[in-house]
């Protein structure tokens, strides 16, 4: 229980506001409040539920459990739902334009409820990619007392004795288009890939962000790797326990007066980036961590990712590039085990505060040690790949503000090729399926950025089609859009400035020679500054695509991908 409540909503007996708050108390009585409830702390439960996607299908059950847990701890919970857009289901469609936009909308929805009702503490529960950062952003924005809980990873499906998951289905589309898979085989993958509730099982964006936020200190240790449900599709015992522990942690934070920005420091963000690099996480983590840092008023820059990449080896052997999924990490100790390894090597700041009310180092003293008899996480002396072989920030005359390359452990000194230019994702997928892309090509997809899309769609459909067609090592793809955590291959996203605002990617022409050079962290087109300037002088932006509705608002408000593509 709070030592000193403000009682802003209900008024404190004996205070000047008590009489004025009588109408509010009258309305609260209609929803079950009794006299004693007006002295209890009010807790916002931000619950990102929908039955439209397995990632969030279990979230309402977790929300109901949290409601009961708040009551048992002596609080009064207010429930807050949010939109949820599934990247996997909307991939390659106009619906995908709502995905990244929904991150900021989720944050706005939760902020509106939490601040509007002047609540004392907050727990948010999320599942699908954008709902995870979207559920933490308002806590950082308002410097609230609170924490967030990941709804859990999906278990892998089984087909012919092998694990399959959602990216298997995307890559099967490319294999089918290339004549390497029959219609019956494609259907078998489709029916096996997602066996129940939970977010995509590999180290894709959901599991990456859950890991990053646990490392950041804003969710409880161990919660990132727990499965959403068991094989019978019932809420897992671990997730049930996560809910109860998270509510207890929230009340402890309120008792101690620990706010979000006491935890979300620059050093804490460095811990999060270190974990992302070591597990082989999604490039979307760059976008979301920049956005979270902006909300927390932490000075995090794109260059910070390269600084940390320079000293962090890739240790995790996870899908989409590796063998394992999140549930395999859970079996060997989860993120706490990995962070303990990193802390021992001096790569983690141990003195950062966390939502346990203890420091990172204090939490890790209870974490399991690195198990030798496994292959999910590699040891430091024999890593999956050396430092700077995963996420790298590139600049150059094609990306003056920056871009993001995901190597996934591959060695790439240089890649040169002719530009194949497309202004929409759908055009590229059609070209791949019709065998119009050749080895050595560099595909350029533009006008898919935050403003130009709008919404910065993920290019998983064409990138997976390239992999399925056997072109993953021979064709590069660059875009001012972004990539799914399930993407692998030679892929550069987040090109900034984007085409819509006059970034150099807007004037690339078919056949222009492009060079990608991770060694010098550059992506460039073989044109002089004078030629680029001349082409830009004759360039005109495309008309904005929406005149009304949320996407029209988003087009006007959203900023550069190099700063997290945020609207606030």
């Amino acid at each position: 229980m709070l030592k000193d409540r403000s009682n802003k909503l209900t008024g404190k007996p004996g205070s000047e506001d008590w009489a004025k708050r009588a109408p509010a108390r009258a309305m609260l009585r209609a929803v079950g409040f009794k006299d004693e409830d007006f002295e209890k702390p009010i807790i916002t439960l931000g619950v990102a539920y929908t039955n439209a996607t397995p990632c969030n299908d279990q979230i309402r059950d977790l929300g109901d459990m949290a409601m009961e847990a708040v009551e048992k701890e002596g609080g009064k919970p207010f429930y807050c739902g949010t939109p949820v857009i599934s990247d996997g289901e909307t991939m390659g469609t106009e619906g995908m334009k709502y995905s990244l936009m929904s991150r900021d909308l989720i944050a706005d929805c939760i902020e509106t409820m939490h601040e509007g009702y002047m609540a004392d503490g907050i727990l948010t529960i999320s599942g699908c990619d954008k709902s995870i950062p979207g559920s933490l952003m308002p806590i950082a924005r308002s410097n609230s007392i609170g924490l967030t809980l990941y709804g859990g990873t999906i278990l892998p499906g089984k087909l012919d004795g092998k694990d399959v998951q959602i990216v298997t289905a995307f890559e099967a589309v490319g294999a089918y288009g290339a004549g390497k898979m029959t219609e019956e085989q494609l259907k078998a993958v489709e029916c096996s890939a997602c066996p129940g509730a939970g977010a995509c099982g590999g180290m894709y964006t959901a599991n990456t962000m859950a890991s990053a936020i646990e490392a950041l200190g804003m969710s409880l240790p161990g919660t990132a790797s727990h499965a959403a449900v068991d094989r019978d599709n019932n809420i897992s015992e671990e997730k049930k326990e996560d809910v109860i522990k998270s509510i207890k942690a929230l009340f402890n934070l309120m008792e101690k007066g620990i706010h979000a920005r006491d935890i979300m420091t620059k050093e804490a963000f460095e811990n999060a980036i270190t974990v992302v690099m070591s597990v082989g996480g999604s490039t979307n983590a760059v976008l979301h961590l920049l956005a979270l840092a902006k909300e927390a008023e932490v000075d995090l820059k794109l260059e910070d990712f390269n600084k940390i990449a320079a000293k962090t080896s890739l240790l995790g052997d996870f899908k989409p590039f590796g063998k394992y999924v999140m549930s395999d990490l859970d079996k060997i100790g989860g993120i706490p085990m990995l962070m303990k390894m990193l802390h021992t090597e001096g790569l983690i700041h141990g003195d950062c505060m966390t939502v346990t009310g203890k420091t990172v180092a204090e939490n890790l003293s209870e974490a399991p040690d690195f198990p030798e008899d496994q292959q999910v996480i590699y040891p430091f002396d024999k890593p999956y790949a050396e430092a700077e072989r995963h996420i790298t920030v590139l600049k150059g005359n094609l990306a003056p503000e920056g871009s993001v390359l995901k190597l996934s452990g591959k060695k790439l000194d240089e890649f040169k090729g002719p530009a194949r230019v497309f202004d929409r994702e759908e055009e590229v997928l059609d070209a791949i399926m019709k065998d119009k892309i050749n080895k050595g090509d560099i595909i350029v997809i533009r006008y898919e950025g935050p403003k130009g899309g709008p919404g910065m769609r993920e290019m998983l459909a064409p990138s997976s089609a390239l992999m399925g067609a056997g072109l993953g090592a021979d064709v590069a793809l660059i875009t001012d859009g972004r990539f799914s955590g399930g993407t692998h291959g030679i892929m550069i996203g987040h090109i900034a400035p984007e085409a819509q605002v006059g970034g150099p990617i807007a004037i690339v022409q078919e056949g222009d020679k492009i060079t990608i050079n991770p060694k010098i962290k550059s992506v460039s087109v073989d044109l002089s500054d004078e030629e680029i300037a001349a082409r830009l002088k004759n360039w005109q932006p495309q008309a904005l695509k929406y005149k009304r509705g949320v996407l029209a608002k988003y087009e006007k408000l959203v900023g550069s991908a190099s700063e997290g593509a945020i609207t606030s």
Side-chain angles (χ1 to χ4, degrees), residues 471-515:
L471 294 171
D474 302 301
V475 173
L477 193 162
I478 70 173
T479 179
D480 55 6
R482 59 196 175 89
F483 293 110
S484 163
T487 295
H488 56 130
I490 307 169
M491 309 288 162
I492 300 175
H494 309 193
I495 295 277
E498 62 174 295
Q500 184 64 39
V501 300
I505 192 174
I507 53 82
V508 176
Q509 297 175 3
E510 189 83 6
D512 283 346
K513 295 298 186 292
I514 292 174
T515 301

Side-chain angles (χ1 to χ4, degrees), residues 53 70-71 101 107 143 208 297 388 393 431 499 506 515-516 557:
T53 169
V70 169
E71 293 273 8
M101 180 280 298
N143 195 23
T208 298
E297 297 186 353
E388 296 190 292
V393 174
T515 301
I516 301 166
L557 294 173

Side-chain angles (χ1 to χ4, degrees), residues 247-284:
I247 295 300
K248 288 184 179 295
L250 173 58
F251 276 78
N252 182 53
L253 292 171
M254 292 192 296
E255 180 71 23
K256 292 182 176 180
I258 299 173
H259 290 250
R261 294 185 190 176
D262 298 325
I263 297 169
M264 298 175 71
T265 63
K266 179 69 176 285
E267 291 75 19
F269 276 96
E270 290 175 350
N271 286 349
I273 296 170
T274 299
V275 165
V276 169
M277 295 294 181
S278 66
V279 297
S282 164
T283 52
N284 279 315

Side-chain angles (χ1 to χ4, degrees), residues 537-552:
K537 188 175 181 180
N538 295 318
W539 168 84
Q540 292 292 325
Q542 291 188 354
L544 292 177
K545 298 179 176 67
Y546 293 87
K547 305 299 182 186
R548 60 193 302 174
V550 292
L551 289 179

Side-chain angles (χ1 to χ4, degrees), residues 315 337-345 370 377-378 380:
L315 304 177
M337 179 277 295
L338 175 65
M339 288 184 68
K340 189 173 185 178
M341 287 176 63
L342 295 167
H343 184 247
T344 301
E345 292 292 317
F370 173 73
I377 298 292
Y378 281 56
F380 280 103

Side-chain angles (χ1 to χ4, degrees), residues 44-63:
T44 302
L45 294 177
V47 182
Y49 164 73
T50 180
N51 64 346
T53 169
C55 307
N56 293 58
D57 189 41
Q58 79 288 13
I59 300 295
R60 185 169 65 181
D61 291 336
L62 298 179

Side-chain angles (χ1 to χ4, degrees), residues 401-523:
E401 290 181 7
S403 63
V404 181
L405 167 67
K406 181 179 178 181
L407 285 172
S408 303
K410 294 183 294 296
K411 186 174 178 58
L412 178 67
D413 293 329
E414 188 176 76
F415 191 100
K416 292 184 177 181
R420 302 294 306 280
V421 183
F422 302 87
D423 288 349
R424 277 177 62 81
E425 176 189 5
E426 288 86 349
E427 297 171 6
V428 182
L429 185 59
D430 184 61
I432 296 168
M433 299 297 279
K434 291 181 179 178
D435 200 25
K436 294 181 179 180
I437 301 298
N438 304 310
K439 290 184 177 181
D441 285 346
I442 297 182
I443 297 170
V444 177
I445 311 177
R446 62 192 179 192
Y447 295 103
E448 290 283 9
K451 285 184 181 291
M456 208 177 178
R457 291 193 291 178
E458 290 180 348
M459 303 293 121
L460 181 59
S463 65
S464 294
L466 286 172
M467 297 301 296
L471 294 171
D474 302 301
V475 173
L477 193 162
I478 70 173
T479 179
D480 55 6
R482 59 196 175 89
F483 293 110
S484 163
T487 295
H488 56 130
I490 307 169
M491 309 288 162
I492 300 175
H494 309 193
I495 295 277
E498 62 174 295
Q500 184 64 39
V501 300
I505 192 174
I507 53 82
V508 176
Q509 297 175 3
E510 189 83 6
D512 283 346
K513 295 298 186 292
I514 292 174
T515 301
I516 301 166
N517 192 323
K519 276 191 172 181
I520 60 172
K521 297 179 174 54
S522 172
V523 54

